[in-house]
Amino acid sequence: CKSSEADRKVVESLSGKSYKQWIETMRDIALRPSPPLTHQDGIWKFLPRYEGWYALGPRLFDEHLEQFKTVAVSVLQEPDPQFELPPDERYMASIYGKVLKHSCPLRNGLAESLALLGSHPQALTSCSSGKAEETAVLAVREILSDADWVRWASLNDLLPLLAEAAPSEFLDAVESALQKDPCPFDELFAQETGGITGRTYMCGLLWALETLAWDADHLCRVVICLGQLAARDPGGRWANRPANSLTTILLPWLPQTCAPIPKRVAAIKALLAELPDVGWKLLVSLLPHIDPVSLGTRRPAWRATIPDDWQQGVTGSEYWEQVSAYAEFTTNEAKKDVTKLTELIGHLGTLPQSAHDHLLEYLDSDTVLAYPEGDRLRLWNKLVDLVTKHKKFADATWAMEPEQVSKIAALTKKLAPNAPFLRHQRLFSEYDFDLYEDKGSYEEQWKGLEVRRQKAVEEVAADGGIAAVIAFAKAVQSPWRVGIAFGAIASPDADVEILPDLLESDQESLVQLAGGFVVGRFWNRSWPWVDSIETSRWTPEQIGRFLTFLPFTSDTWQRAEHLLGGDQAAYWRQTTANAYEAKGDISHAVDQLLHYGRPYAALHCLYRMLHDRQPFDTERAVKVLLEALKSSEGTEARNSYETVEIIKWLQNDPTTNQEDLFRVEWVYLPLLDGHHGAFPKLLWQRLANDPQFFCEVIRLVFRSKHEKSRTEEVTEQDKNIATHAYRLLSGWRIPPGPLKDKSYDGEAFKEWLEVVKEECAKTGHLEIAMEVVGQVLIHVPADPDGLWIHRSAAEVLNGKEAENMRNGFRTALYNSRSAHWIDPTGKPEKELAAKYRACADAVEENGYSRLAVTLRELADTYEREAEIIVSRFGLDE
């Protein structure tokens, strides 16, 4: 491995030689026939590690192991300095210098050696009996002794090897940590972050436990440890979770353990006894599923835990033996808890027949029929959903036989509640699709569902009046749908019972009920009903809230003006502003939304106008875009795609004021990064045409070489401006010298360049400015005479004083490749090398020798990359 100074000291302490002497010895060995050592690209590798262990083992003695243990413990106990940084900055640890003293390859080599000591002690024939295993055990004990979360996190990648080194000792350490208060694993869970730079530090621990689970002797302890971790797991975005490891280890159709079935069953029994909730979730995950998937677990790297004749997968009899046992456990657990019983009903269709019949028999028993009505309601709802699903998809491969479905349907009748208040609650869920009883013709089914809902609410009202409807709305999942149905069927006197008081209730369910009521009334009675409402005693807030539930159309806006007068804030600040409800010109809505502090809602309306090809006022659009940046509206109101489309429209409209567009592109620069085909075209053109503007942007980003140190404090605004300017220069794709007909004016480019050189030389920015210019020149078009680059640009790049420009040109060409897959043959790199050699030859033939040298240097870079790739993968075309 490439070594650090700290690594060299470790090598010297282990070998008893200076690092230089040790390297000389290695070089001598590497030159012998069929050596175990190789040296490529400055990296030493010991190739046949396993064979080398047995070949060199007799040369090791007890004192060597003592010395090795001391070093291994010292190195592996080192806390990773990255954890001194906040979680969201740890990906930049190397930039901050927060790195381990010893290299990762050295740490991995030490951990791997411990694993070999514990797994293959017989290779060390010159050591005392048991000395190798003892060394591994004592080392792991010291490394993990009283480990805090930082040490566990620092050892994340090495924990599987430490587990193989001393399994029992490792499990002791995990169990001890789980008993601590506070538990280090709680903090370890808390360190998880999401996003592109997100990290988790639990993977190593989970992989270590998965590795040990292959051994039948350790399975039960591993299951309990994973269960305790699962109980502590707060959840997160990463798929590596203790509960998932448990499931993967014990999957009936692909178990990741060599333990026989009785031991697997015993482990689950132990987990159920100690952690019933975790055990229940595990059992449910082990039941048959329609589309099972498993990626397996980590296997031992050095221990011979898995027999050579072990085969992945199970026989049919083994599978059903496990499934039957787990289903029996699950059914017995479900009998103890109505919540679990309700959940298990969802798996009725995939349970083994014996468990299926057993569960149905229990659901039909006097015990269940004597449950409180609320508990029976939950079971009934689940059974009705199950019957509906299997009837709707009767032709699916996973569907139960019609006889089974009929049997369950008969059971639902026994469990069905008598009171409409309970019986109809299931109709008011958030998911209409689940309530449809047939496939296809969804519009007709929706209409039928609405009729059923209206009848249901009618029954509830008949049974207890408006008070019962209000209580019903509080009990269901979607009070909004209750309100719609009630609005359609209620008598006129219901208006004053619901409106306006419930519109301002502090209970969200009642506000939804009132809103749905307004919608239902409007659907059935339209504007005459709206105008019949007596609002003279209503507050402006109540009137505004009432109007927000009406369609977002000019009819509503007119009534807002009529009822609220000059101050219509109560409406415009609350309306959902669904522009797709509106018809015709909605510019009035845009103005009102902007006036009342809703620029993002106004942007949505502008996008609707753009989408419908309505006449567009560019000044209005610019004003909305600029006001949106100051808006306090929540992030859910923002739509980047719509914003970008409006900016693109402004860019393409010749009537747009160019200074306004300049401001818009500058403030929205982060969105104009190529997504949805959006670029800061005007800003790029300004850079290409106005050398003074280019120099100004350079000064915003880079410090002058005349400036030794900055005396004034850099404000947050300065940082933001510099970031914008850097983003603009980084993405710049229009080189100086463009013409309107998209041809290229080389003389204009040279004139532009002379101004830039003169200005930047004065300010101390010449070198960096020339490098930036070199970067944009990769976008220069080909010359009309056929040369791949315009001659004016080639001439400038070839100049004696143009080294900085050529460096920028080469860097931009290299970076233009962006992200790519590695081809083990190095073919893409070879092709790029050939391409740039041909380009070099072409410009050299035309007299641009210095530019040719730069291009050949780039070709050499790709050739070296191809060699490195081929050497690492051992492949060639």
Side-chain angles (χ1 to χ4, degrees):
C1 63
K2 290 183 178 179
S3 57
S4 64
E5 186 59 36
D7 289 357
R8 294 176 185 183
K9 291 180 180 178
V10 169
V11 170
E12 290 173 356
S13 67
L14 286 172
S15 64
K17 299 180 180 180
S18 70
Y19 185 77
K20 182 178 180 181
Q21 292 173 322
W22 192 71
I23 289 295
E24 287 175 352
T25 303
M26 290 175 63
R27 287 173 178 165
D28 179 61
I29 294 172
L31 293 173
R32 297 176 185 177
S34 303
L37 293 172
T38 64
H39 188 246
Q40 286 184 322
D41 302 321
I43 299 176
W44 286 99
K45 290 183 181 179
F46 197 105
L47 295 181
R49 185 71 190 272
Y50 180 79
E51 292 81 355
W53 182 255
Y54 276 89
L56 300 177
R59 295 175 178 268
L60 297 177
F61 295 87
D62 287 2
E63 58 267 27
H64 294 132
L65 298 189
E66 287 294 333
Q67 198 172 8
F68 172 78
K69 180 177 79 69
T70 301
V71 170
V73 171
S74 173
V75 172
L76 298 183
Q77 277 190 333
E78 179 193 352
D80 193 332
Q82 69 163 302
F83 296 110
E84 297 171 12
L85 297 171
D88 58 348
E89 294 182 15
R90 288 175 190 157
Y91 74 97
M92 298 189 294
S94 59
I95 298 175
Y96 290 117
K98 299 292 185 179
V99 294
L100 290 157
K101 295 178 183 177
H102 303 94
S103 67
C104 291
L106 176 68
R107 289 166 57 85
N108 188 76
L110 292 172
E112 209 169 58
S113 297
L114 286 173
L116 283 164
L117 281 173
S119 305
H120 297 277
Q122 60 272 24
L124 279 61
T125 55
S126 300
C127 294
S128 304
S129 176
K131 182 64 177 178
E133 299 101 311
E134 177 187 293
T135 301
V137 167
L138 293 177
V140 171
R141 181 180 301 170
E142 287 188 49
I143 291 167
L144 297 178
S145 175
D146 293 322
D148 58 7
W149 75 266
V150 173
R151 190 180 302 171
W152 283 103
S154 301
L155 292 167
N156 184 38
D157 296 338
L158 305 178
L159 291 177
L161 292 171
L162 297 182
E164 287 195 64
S168 293
E169 198 65 38
F170 184 85
L171 287 170
D172 286 345
V174 174
E175 290 168 345
S176 175
L178 285 166
Q179 298 307 312
K180 286 184 179 179
D181 187 18
C183 174
F185 299 138
D186 292 343
E187 189 61 36
L188 209 58
F189 278 122
Q191 300 305 308
E192 180 178 320
T193 55
I196 297 176
T197 59
R199 296 185 179 185
T200 178
Y201 304 97
M202 289 298 300
C203 292
L205 178 59
L206 298 181
W207 291 336
L209 292 171
E210 289 172 2
T211 301
L212 298 183
W214 285 96
D215 192 327
D217 291 340
H218 301 311
L219 178 63
C220 192
R221 289 183 73 184
V222 168
V223 167
I224 296 299
C225 286
L226 285 171
Q228 290 180 315
L229 288 169
R232 292 180 174 276
D233 186 1
R237 298 182 182 180
W238 290 80
N240 301 92
R241 314 227 73 84
N244 292 343
S245 292
L246 275 172
T247 300
T248 308
I249 290 168
L250 294 165
L251 274 176
W253 56 275
L254 193 68
Q256 301 292 282
T257 177
C258 294
I261 293 176
K263 284 211 169 189
R264 298 176 213 168
V265 172
I268 293 178
K269 279 185 179 178
L271 182 64
L272 279 170
E274 191 160 325
L275 298 160
D277 289 341
V278 176
W280 167 260
K281 292 177 182 176
L282 172 62
L283 285 171
V284 171
S285 71
L286 297 178
L287 294 176
H289 289 79
I290 297 172
D291 296 310
V293 176
S294 175
L295 299 177
T297 64
R298 184 188 183 277
R299 298 187 181 190
W302 299 108
R303 285 190 172 265
T305 305
I306 304 176
D308 293 336
D309 59 352
W310 183 84
Q311 293 184 344
Q312 184 167 276
V314 295
T315 64
S317 60
E318 289 173 334
Y319 171 76
W320 286 111
E321 181 182 353
Q322 293 172 85
V323 169
S324 297
Y326 301 156
E328 183 180 350
F329 282 161
T330 310
T331 305
N332 290 335
E333 287 297 310
K335 290 179 180 180
K336 306 173 186 176
D337 186 335
V338 69
T339 300
K340 294 177 180 177
L341 184 60
T342 304
E343 183 180 358
L344 186 56
I345 288 173
H347 296 271
L348 257 173
T350 57
L351 288 177
Q353 192 60 47
S354 58
H356 177 97
D357 294 341
H358 184 191
L359 183 58
L360 282 184
E361 182 181 344
Y362 180 71
L363 289 169
D364 197 17
S365 67
D366 292 340
T367 302
V368 173
L369 294 175
Y371 276 1
E373 195 167 31
D375 289 345
R376 283 192 291 111
L377 175 65
R378 296 164 64 187
L379 298 174
W380 175 75
N381 279 327
K382 196 72 174 180
L383 287 167
V384 172
D385 289 342
L386 185 70
V387 170
T388 301
K389 176 181 175 181
H390 283 267
K391 282 184 176 180
K392 187 192 305 183
F393 300 102
D395 55 347
T397 55
W398 47 262
M400 289 187 287
E401 294 296 325
E403 295 78 10
Q404 291 177 301
V405 177
S406 298
K407 189 174 181 180
I408 298 171
L411 177 59
T412 63
K413 295 180 180 179
K414 292 185 178 182
L415 290 171
N418 294 320
F421 184 92
L422 297 174
R423 190 172 66 253
H424 295 313
Q425 285 182 19
R426 65 178 302 274
L427 291 177
F428 297 88
S429 72
E430 295 289 352
Y431 305 103
D432 289 356
F433 181 80
D434 294 338
L435 299 170
Y436 296 159
E437 297 178 343
D438 297 304
K439 291 188 293 184
S441 63
Y442 293 130
E443 184 175 352
E444 290 299 319
Q445 291 195 72
W446 175 79
K447 291 178 180 178
L449 179 58
E450 286 303 305
V451 171
R452 290 163 60 197
R453 283 171 171 163
Q454 290 171 18
K455 290 181 178 178
V457 172
E458 195 170 19
E459 285 188 38
V460 171
D463 203 39
I466 293 179
V469 173
I470 292 174
F472 184 72
K474 293 179 181 179
V476 302
Q477 192 178 58
S478 178
W480 174 264
R481 289 176 168 82
V482 175
I484 292 174
F486 190 51
I489 59 94
S491 59
D493 59 352
D495 291 351
V496 294
E497 295 289 338
I498 301 294
L499 304 175
D501 294 343
L502 296 190
L503 290 170
E504 293 186 307
S505 172
D506 55 1
Q507 299 181 52
E508 181 59 28
S509 60
L510 297 187
V511 174
Q512 287 192 35
L513 170 67
F517 179 83
V518 173
V519 171
R521 275 287 202 247
F522 181 81
W523 283 358
N524 284 270
R525 305 185 185 185
S526 193
W527 295 110
W529 172 77
V530 175
D531 295 333
S532 71
I533 299 295
E534 176 56 55
T535 60
S536 59
R537 296 185 180 181
W538 290 20
T539 66
E541 188 67 24
Q542 291 170 336
I543 294 173
R545 182 66 65 89
F546 171 71
L547 294 173
T548 61
F549 294 115
L550 299 175
F552 188 67
T553 65
S554 59
D555 292 311
T556 302
W557 309 336
Q558 291 168 8
R559 285 164 175 79
E561 184 175 359
H562 172 69
L563 295 173
L564 295 171
D567 186 4
Q568 301 169 43
Y571 171 70
W572 289 105
R573 287 179 181 168
Q574 297 183 80
T575 177
T576 56
N578 184 356
Y580 289 93
E581 291 181 336
K583 297 177 181 179
D585 183 14
I586 58 173
S587 55
H588 172 73
V590 173
D591 293 339
Q592 290 294 90
L593 289 167
L594 190 61
H595 176 72
Y596 289 105
R598 301 282 304 282
Y600 279 108
L603 270 177
H604 179 63
C605 291
L606 282 175
Y607 178 74
R608 166 66 195 280
M609 295 175 71
L610 177 64
H611 185 268
D612 288 351
R613 302 179 185 276
Q614 293 184 23
F616 217 92
D617 183 343
T618 58
E619 289 186 15
R620 177 183 283 120
V622 168
K623 186 176 181 181
V624 172
L625 284 166
L626 296 178
E627 286 295 321
L629 294 171
K630 305 180 240 177
S631 174
S632 59
E633 291 174 273
T635 54
E636 69 280 356
R638 305 173 187 178
N639 188 310
S640 297
Y641 173 76
E642 293 181 356
T643 302
V644 165
E645 289 301 304
I646 292 170
I647 294 173
K648 285 165 61 178
W649 184 89
L650 289 173
Q651 290 174 330
N652 295 324
D653 189 334
T655 67
T656 303
N657 181 284
Q658 294 301 286
E659 288 305 313
D660 285 344
L661 181 57
F662 180 91
R663 293 169 61 203
V664 167
E665 285 191 354
W666 176 259
V667 295
Y668 282 98
L669 195 57
L671 294 183
L672 307 180
D673 58 356
H675 285 76
H676 312 300
F679 300 97
K681 296 178 181 179
L682 182 61
L683 289 173
W684 285 356
Q685 289 171 354
R686 186 73 64 90
L687 285 172
N689 295 324
D690 185 348
Q692 295 294 343
F693 176 63
F694 171 80
C695 295
E696 181 184 353
V697 175
I698 286 289
R699 291 194 296 271
L700 288 173
V701 179
F702 302 104
R703 183 182 298 180
S704 168
K705 69 177 184 180
H706 302 328
E707 183 182 354
K708 294 182 180 179
S709 61
R710 188 182 292 272
T711 55
E712 70 276 9
E713 184 179 352
V714 179
T715 66
E716 197 64 33
Q717 183 180 9
D718 292 334
K719 292 179 182 178
N720 291 335
I721 292 173
T723 300
H724 261 48
Y726 180 75
R727 183 179 283 115
L728 176 60
L729 290 176
S730 299
W732 186 25
R733 298 186 187 181
I734 300 179
L739 295 175
K740 290 184 178 180
D741 61 0
K742 297 187 179 179
S743 62
Y744 192 70
D745 185 347
E747 291 305 314
F749 163 52
K750 292 178 181 179
E751 292 173 8
W752 179 95
L753 185 62
E754 287 306 313
V755 175
V756 168
K757 284 183 176 179
E758 182 179 355
E759 180 73 17
C760 289
K762 291 178 184 177
T763 63
H765 295 89
L766 181 60
E767 290 81 3
I768 189 63
M770 292 302 98
E771 191 167 326
V772 173
V773 172
Q775 291 171 7
V776 78
L777 288 182
I778 70 169
H779 300 291
V780 166
D783 198 88
D785 68 4
L787 185 63
W788 62 270
I789 184 172
H790 200 279
R791 287 184 179 275
S792 61
E795 181 182 340
V796 169
L797 284 165
N798 196 62
K800 290 181 181 180
E801 310 295 331
E803 184 178 353
N804 289 313
M805 201 181 300
R806 287 193 293 273
N807 288 339
F809 188 73
R810 181 180 59 238
T811 300
L813 284 176
Y814 184 80
N815 291 337
S816 65
R817 190 182 182 193
S818 68
H820 56 276
W821 294 104
I822 297 296
D823 183 339
T825 67
K827 180 180 178 181
E829 287 71 23
K830 294 173 185 175
E831 290 176 346
L832 286 168
K835 170 187 171 181
Y836 289 119
R837 287 207 182 280
C839 290
D841 291 341
V843 295
E844 188 172 57
E845 290 171 4
N846 284 271
Y848 308 118
S849 58
R850 295 185 186 89
L851 177 57
V853 170
T854 297
L855 292 166
R856 289 195 180 103
E857 289 173 351
L858 181 58
D860 291 342
T861 298
Y862 279 117
E863 285 180 350
R864 285 194 296 272
E865 288 188 3
E867 291 171 1
I868 291 171
I869 291 171
V870 170
S871 68
R872 286 180 180 173
F873 288 92
L875 296 175
D876 206 339
E877 292 182 81

